[in-house]
Amino acid sequence: MLKKMPLAIQILLALILGIIAGLLMQNHVDEAEAYIKPFGTIFLNLVKFIVVPIVLFSILAGIISLKDIKKVGSIGIKTIVYYMCTTVVAIIIGLIGANLFKGFFPVLQTSELTYEAAESAPLMDTLVNIFPSNFIMPLSNATMLQVIIMAILIGFSIILVGEEAEHAVKGINSLNAVFMKSMDLILRLSPIGVFCLICPVVAANGGMILGSLAMVLLAAYVLYLVHMIIVYSFAVRTMGGLSPLDFLKGQLPAMIFAFSSASSVGTLPINMKGCENMGADKDVTSFVLPLGATINMDGTAIYQGVCAVFIASCYGINLTFGQMLTIVLTATLASIGTAGVPGAGMVMLAMVLTSVGLPVDGIALVAGIDRIFDMGRTVVNITGDASCAIVVSNMERKKANK
Ligand code: ASP
């Protein structure tokens, strides 16, 4: 029976059961931490394990699919500028919004949260560190931004080498499919992961954590909506020549799919079809959307802003303006490094927290309900990609008609 039940439902059930088990185990916190949490950690480890090959091969495969490099040039600049700008706006909305909700976030006294201010890296060092000085280390340390730089460099080299790289192209496409399949297998374990992550958190913090988790979720969803309504509607109307309502209608099937699969990459085919139905050119969608599913994650950026403020607040920390600026930068970069697969945004949250010296352990607070954040942020992510396809298509058409 379990086999037939959609994964999203299984995860939801696991969440409810995990909460109930956690409430029942409030007097057995040590046992929950010792025997249940490790299985959650195993799941998180597997997600972390798969994220490097997924980022590497999905970006490589995305780039080498753009053989016509001149075409990439003209569409590429517009796409990248659009993606960067919308992501920066998203993270700003996330941070401002989360600060408005902050009054409802708790300082957790019942848990054993302790915090020692850690130094965050200076901005220039962060920039320098994006560029790898070694071929293996970025992969083994899962330094996402370095992996992305590698993928971009190697991807474009493959295009430039041309015929001689034919085998590399085949190999990369096939490895991409293999890693996607592995990811799929790992994700089937999500119900177990969710149960084992939420149960110890609820056991340790009691029912009170549920109210605050509901508040962060609400904050995130309100801000997802704000971003979609303000930024995308404005963009498709002013630059895409499409009414926001038509856009929403055309986008609905992809949104529903994204919500239930929590995967931008998985939603790609249906998103492409939707955009073409709305009048976007095939040339444009086949570049803009795969790239977007790999590097453009506005929903993830909002989520990271909200969670950073929430986790800081749980530890009784007020983020400074400088820290918020650092979050804007790292979350924008993290958005590029986030693979369009379920749970990837949570992995990248670690990078954002580290950049401002917040304790990475805070992720355990939100990890159990990550799937619920993820469903919403994936909807925002793919809607951002689609709005870009509409805008760039319209601009290219206007340019051609001049
Ligand atoms: N699941 C998201 C996506 O596929 C990525 C994330 O975890 O934030 O777009």
Side-chain angles (χ1 to χ4, degrees):
M1 189 186 100
L2 259 184
K3 259 192 164 168
K4 282 205 189 115
M5 199 186 279
L7 191 61
I9 307 275
Q10 290 182 31
I11 291 174
L12 191 70
L13 270 181
L15 176 70
I16 296 170
L17 291 177
I19 291 174
I20 296 174
L23 289 173
L24 294 175
M25 289 189 76
Q26 284 189 66
N27 296 326
H28 302 277
V29 178
D30 290 344
E31 284 85 346
E33 299 262 339
Y35 300 110
I36 297 182
K37 197 172 162 194
F39 294 99
T41 311
I42 291 177
F43 171 69
L44 283 185
N45 283 351
L46 286 174
V47 170
K48 284 189 216 158
F49 150 75
I50 201 65
V51 98
V52 170
I54 288 283
V55 168
L56 181 66
F57 286 102
S58 66
I59 295 188
L60 272 174
I63 292 179
I64 55 186
S65 68
L66 325 158
K67 286 187 207 80
D68 186 355
I69 208 153
K70 278 208 200 88
K71 186 123 211 155
V72 175
S74 97
I75 301 175
I77 303 279
K78 293 189 189 87
T79 308
I80 305 271
V81 169
Y82 184 91
Y83 282 163
M84 288 294 151
C85 292
T86 50
T87 305
V88 170
V89 174
I91 175 72
I92 292 174
I93 289 181
L95 283 174
I96 295 179
N99 275 298
L100 294 179
F101 273 87
K102 205 166 99 186
F104 301 100
F105 296 161
V107 176
L108 294 179
Q109 278 131 4
T110 52
S111 69
E112 290 164 1
L113 298 181
T114 50
Y115 167 71
E116 299 222 348
E119 278 292 306
S120 54
L123 208 64
M124 282 322 269
D125 287 0
T126 312
L127 183 72
V128 170
N129 289 338
I130 294 175
F131 296 89
S133 62
N134 179 299
F135 187 79
I136 306 291
M137 248 146 61
L139 305 177
S140 71
N141 295 343
T143 325
M144 278 315 160
L145 296 170
Q146 296 190 351
V147 176
I148 292 169
I149 298 284
M150 281 172 67
I152 294 175
L153 189 63
I154 300 171
F156 279 108
S157 307
I158 290 176
I159 297 185
L160 292 171
V161 167
E163 230 169 76
E164 225 176 299
E166 223 173 81
H167 293 299
V169 172
K170 269 203 191 128
I172 285 167
N173 284 333
S174 113
L175 281 174
N176 192 27
V178 170
F179 284 116
M180 286 287 176
K181 191 70 205 167
S182 314
M183 182 189 73
D184 186 45
L185 295 178
I186 292 171
L187 291 177
R188 291 203 200 156
L189 300 176
S190 334
I192 301 174
V194 163
F195 178 92
C196 298
L197 285 169
I198 194 86
C199 171
V201 171
V202 174
N205 296 290
M208 166 202 168
I209 187 79
L210 296 179
S212 33
L213 286 179
M215 251 357 261
V216 218
L217 268 179
L218 180 71
Y221 271 84
V222 168
L223 299 170
Y224 293 158
L225 278 177
V226 167
H227 183 69
M228 287 200 285
I229 292 172
I230 297 180
V231 180
Y232 303 150
S233 297
F234 178 77
V236 292
R237 158 144 293 177
T238 53
M239 296 180 282
L242 189 69
S243 97
L245 216 60
D246 287 342
F247 176 65
L248 186 71
K249 247 193 254 157
Q251 193 56 20
L252 205 58
M255 282 173 153
I256 294 172
F257 193 89
F259 190 77
S260 45
S261 69
S263 167
S264 300
V265 172
T267 313
L268 202 49
I270 191 166
N271 206 19
M272 285 176 128
K273 198 151 182 261
C275 285
E276 280 155 29
N277 288 346
M278 284 187 277
D281 296 326
K282 214 170 167 126
D283 279 358
V284 174
T285 56
S286 62
F287 169 74
V288 171
L289 294 180
L291 188 70
T294 336
I295 71 160
N296 182 49
M297 308 278 165
D298 295 355
T300 306
I302 295 175
Y303 149 85
Q304 284 167 343
V306 171
C307 285
V309 174
F310 173 71
I311 290 170
S313 142
C314 288
Y315 282 83
I317 304 160
N318 274 319
L319 291 174
T320 62
F321 186 68
Q323 282 177 310
M324 302 233 196
L325 275 186
T326 311
I327 293 180
V328 172
L329 179 74
T330 44
T332 307
L333 297 177
S335 146
I336 303 175
T338 307
V341 302
M346 186 180 71
V347 177
M348 298 309 280
L349 179 61
M351 172 175 133
V352 175
L353 295 180
T354 324
S355 74
V356 285
L358 283 173
V360 175
D361 283 359
I363 292 185
L365 292 170
V366 284
I369 52 163
D370 184 65
R371 180 66 177 213
I372 308 180
F373 283 112
D374 200 1
M375 289 161 38
R377 64 184 190 244
T378 309
V379 170
V380 183
N381 291 345
I382 59 115
T383 306
D385 302 342
S387 71
C388 180
I390 301 288
V391 166
V392 173
S393 249
N394 195 40
M395 285 178 160
E396 288 292 303
R397 226 173 286 141
K398 273 191 188 152
K399 201 172 89 184
N401 290 341
K402 256 187 201 161

